[in-house]
Structures are given as structure tokens and as C-alpha cells.
Amino acid sequence: MKKKVLTAVLAAAMVMSMAGCGSTKDTTSTAGNTVSTDAQTESAAETTDGTEAASGATYKVGIVQYVDDASLNQIEAAIEAELDKKGEELGVTFDYGDYTFNGQADSTTLNQIATELVADNVDVIIPIATPAAMIMQNATEDNQIPVVFSAVSDPESAGLVAGNDAPGANITGTSDALDTDAVFDLMFAADPDIKSVGLLYDKSQDSAKKPIEEAKAYLEGKGVEVVEKTGTTNDEISNAADALAAAGVDAVFTPTDNTVMTAELAIYEKFIDAGIPHYTGADSFALNGAFLGYGVNYEDLGTATADMVVDILVNGKNPAETPVQTLSNGIATVNTETAEALGIDYSVFSDMCEGVVETQTAEEFE
């Protein structure tokens, strides 16, 4: 089912409220987590860790995407595909179709989605991206519904967990933490004579804070001028890109920033016209026209997130004892059209990364 937005959230709440009286399902508790099961079809099935799960059980899985962009869409698709695969293997159903929503980068919408998912008594919530994860965490502090986040760049600084090995009482997940220095190593390998670098990001995005601090430290260590431009909307990001082009910076860096990601298709040609390569913290930026995206494979990240959900719901794992997973992020994705337009030879990257992936400008991954 296609992702639903707020109006669908409210409509779904009304429908489920009316339909609840005729339900044939009861609830049982597994390792502190409420699990929805069909009492008439319950039987034992072997799980991946040797424990027994209820064959025919149905688990209600809430998926909350922060905003539409290529990376987050890729994560959601991978989560759903893996849940379908594991459900078939284990003889259970992960019902996400009725509980999948998109917050459209609006905190009011995200809070109302959280309220509806709690009212629906879902068995787990999977928020995708930091702002969604923070709101879902707040909504589950009292009820302790498990939260398994995906694509949170710095879960500790965001206050989601005490540390990667010490998750919160009901929260864990996967991180797309960025190796900022590695991005700049690529930048200076391609052009050792860089004198000024623009930093383009949304100052309200928690995911941007740490890599921007790391970027400043790296550049100051090289004696390179730093030009910061920020924005919180597409129009502001577009204006910030114009300002960086006017400033004549030699390159631009953006971390894993969802606001800039949603604006990339509208700004990448500005940088090409100005002869400025845009180095970024996710492969989706390159798909949307930026010269380079560096980071994790988001399909793998989504799959790993779904596997953690299965361990918690089916295998009875405790979120508080499940370490946050940080995937290797040594993949450089280069937009070959942009590279050609800028005249950049990126062959040097092959010895500096786990892999170099080539892409061309499009809206979504195929």
C-alpha cells in the first residue's frame, strides 16, 4: 500500500475504530511486547534463534517515513521487502500496509501519526530518519512500544540512546553515521588546490550537526576558507546554493541532510553552471544530480532494520539489550553526467573506497 499522509491517518483511525468491534484477534505478550495473534490459527514454528513463535501470528508494524526522498524511499522499500520475506519464512504476517505513513517533514503531522499508532496498539514502530525517530520515542515513553529506527545519523547526540551499545529502554535501530573526513579526503584527492569550501545544510536537522562540526575542523586544519549557508525550506536552500555560487567556492559539502536532499533536483544545475562539485553524505544526492554521494548502502540499511524488528517481535529480543547497528559507509556514488560536465576525473577514488558506484540523474532508484 502506498504511504499515507495525515488525512489518511485520520480516516484510517475512524475506520479501525468502527471495525474493532468485530475483530477475531486477541493479544498475547512476548518478552514484554504486545503481539497480535489469530487465536484460531495459532501453532508452533521454529524461529531463527531456535525459540518458538506462533505460526499464523500477525504483528502490526508501524512505519513512519520523515519525508519523501530517494534514500528514505529506498529504505522503506527494503524494510517492507525483508518483512515480507521473513514473514513467509516464519509463517507469520507483518502487517505494515495499514500502518505506513509519511510525515511530509511536518512535526504536527508526525505527532498525530504517533498518536494514531499508539491508539492502534501497534507491536513496533519503525521511524525512518532522525526527526521521525525523536517524535516516536516521545510518544512511546509511557507505553513502551518498541521503536526500531532507521537512518539516524547520530542517535546519541539526538538523545535517542545513551550509546550504540546502550540503547534506550524501548528503542534501538540502525545508523547511517557519516565518515566526514573520508568525504573530504575524496574532495582534496580530486582537487588538491581547493581554497574555499561551502557548507550547505539545514541548521535545524540534528543529523547535520556533528558532520558540520567535523567538516569545519578538517577544513580549518588545512587552512581552507569555510563559507556556511543554511536553510530550512526548499526555497531557502535554493537561495543558499545561489549564494555559494556567487561566493565562488571551490566545492560544496552537505551531510546526510533530508532538507537539502529534497531540494537537490532543483539546485544541482546551479552548481554545475558555476563549476562547483557538490560532495554529499548519501548516494541519493548523486542520483538527484550532485557530483558525489558517500555513505551506506540504504537498501542494506533497510534490510538490517527489518531484521532487528523480526528479532524483537518474533524472537523476543529486548530492544534495551540490542545494540544500535552502524553499517560500513565506504561507498562513493558518482553522477557520471555531472562529473563529465565539471570535467572531474574521479578514477582516484577507486583506491580510497570500498567501492565506486556510477549513476545518472533520476528521481528514484530502480
Side-chain angles (χ1 to χ4, degrees), residues 38 41-45 53-57 90-92:
D38 188 321
T41 61
E42 186 173 358
S43 61
S55 178
L90 299 171
V92 300

Side-chain angles (χ1 to χ4, degrees), residues 37-363:
T37 65
D38 188 321
Q40 296 180 345
T41 61
E42 186 173 358
S43 61
E46 186 93 1
T47 66
T48 54
D49 67 351
T51 62
E52 288 188 346
S55 178
T58 296
Y59 302 91
K60 296 189 290 187
V61 178
I63 301 176
V64 184
Q65 188 168 317
Y66 172 61
V67 70
D68 270 316
D69 72 37
S71 287
L72 303 191
N73 293 345
Q74 188 181 27
I75 292 168
E76 185 193 326
I79 289 171
E80 294 172 354
E82 183 70 359
L83 289 177
D84 290 343
K85 175 184 174 184
K86 292 296 185 182
E88 185 174 352
E89 290 176 358
L90 299 171
V92 300
T93 299
F94 297 103
D95 179 9
Y96 55 80
D98 293 328
Y99 310 103
T100 297
F101 303 99
N102 192 305
Q104 301 298 335
D106 182 85
S107 60
T108 300
T109 301
L110 287 164
N111 275 295
Q112 292 183 344
I113 290 170
T115 299
E116 294 300 332
L117 290 174
V118 170
D120 288 336
N121 196 29
V122 295
D123 299 307
V124 67
I125 300 175
I126 309 174
I128 304 174
T130 304
M134 295 173 71
I135 288 173
M136 298 306 130
Q137 179 196 41
N138 290 336
T140 58
E141 284 181 342
D142 294 333
N143 52 66
Q144 291 294 289
I145 292 172
V147 174
V148 182
F149 56 74
S150 189
V152 172
S153 300
D154 190 356
E156 187 173 356
S157 294
L160 295 170
V161 299
N164 283 358
D165 294 326
N170 68 313
I171 188 166
T172 186
T174 60
S175 173
D176 59 347
L178 179 65
D179 185 344
T180 307
D181 285 2
V183 179
F184 282 95
D185 288 345
L186 296 174
M187 183 186 294
F188 282 87
D191 183 2
D193 298 323
I194 289 175
K195 299 295 188 293
S196 65
V197 173
L199 304 180
L200 176 63
Y201 62 101
D202 179 351
K203 56 179 178 280
S204 70
Q205 291 267 322
D206 286 296
S207 61
K209 293 177 181 177
K210 183 176 180 181
I212 289 297
E213 292 174 0
E214 292 170 342
K216 290 178 182 177
Y218 184 106
L219 295 169
E220 288 168 4
K222 282 186 168 288
V224 172
E225 179 187 7
V226 174
V227 181
E228 286 186 77
K229 297 297 177 182
T230 65
T232 58
T233 66
N234 280 7
D235 287 343
E236 289 177 357
I237 294 298
S238 182
N239 291 336
D242 288 333
L244 290 172
V249 296
D250 297 312
V252 171
F253 168 71
T254 295
T256 49
D257 186 306
N258 291 298
T259 303
V260 182
M261 175 65 247
T262 59
E264 188 65 35
L265 280 168
I267 66 174
Y268 80 94
E269 290 179 321
K270 296 175 184 285
F271 290 137
I272 290 176
D273 292 343
I276 301 171
H278 191 189
Y279 290 79
T280 68
D283 55 1
S284 51
F285 285 93
L287 181 76
N288 285 180
F291 165 62
L292 180 138
Y294 184 90
V296 304
N297 180 309
Y298 280 101
E299 183 176 352
D300 290 346
L301 192 77
T303 300
T305 305
D307 288 342
M308 294 179 78
V309 168
V310 173
D311 267 348
I312 290 167
L313 293 182
V314 181
N315 299 337
K317 293 293 179 65
N318 186 345
E321 298 173 356
T322 304
V324 173
Q325 290 190 39
T326 301
L327 274 65
S328 172
N329 62 359
I331 301 172
T333 302
V334 174
N335 186 305
T336 56
E337 295 168 323
T338 301
E340 182 178 2
L342 294 171
I344 298 176
D345 178 8
Y346 55 89
S347 60
V348 64
F349 296 167
S350 61
D351 293 329
M352 303 175 66
C353 308
E354 289 184 15
V356 176
V357 176
E358 296 180 334
T359 191
Q360 295 184 335
T361 306
E363 290 190 17

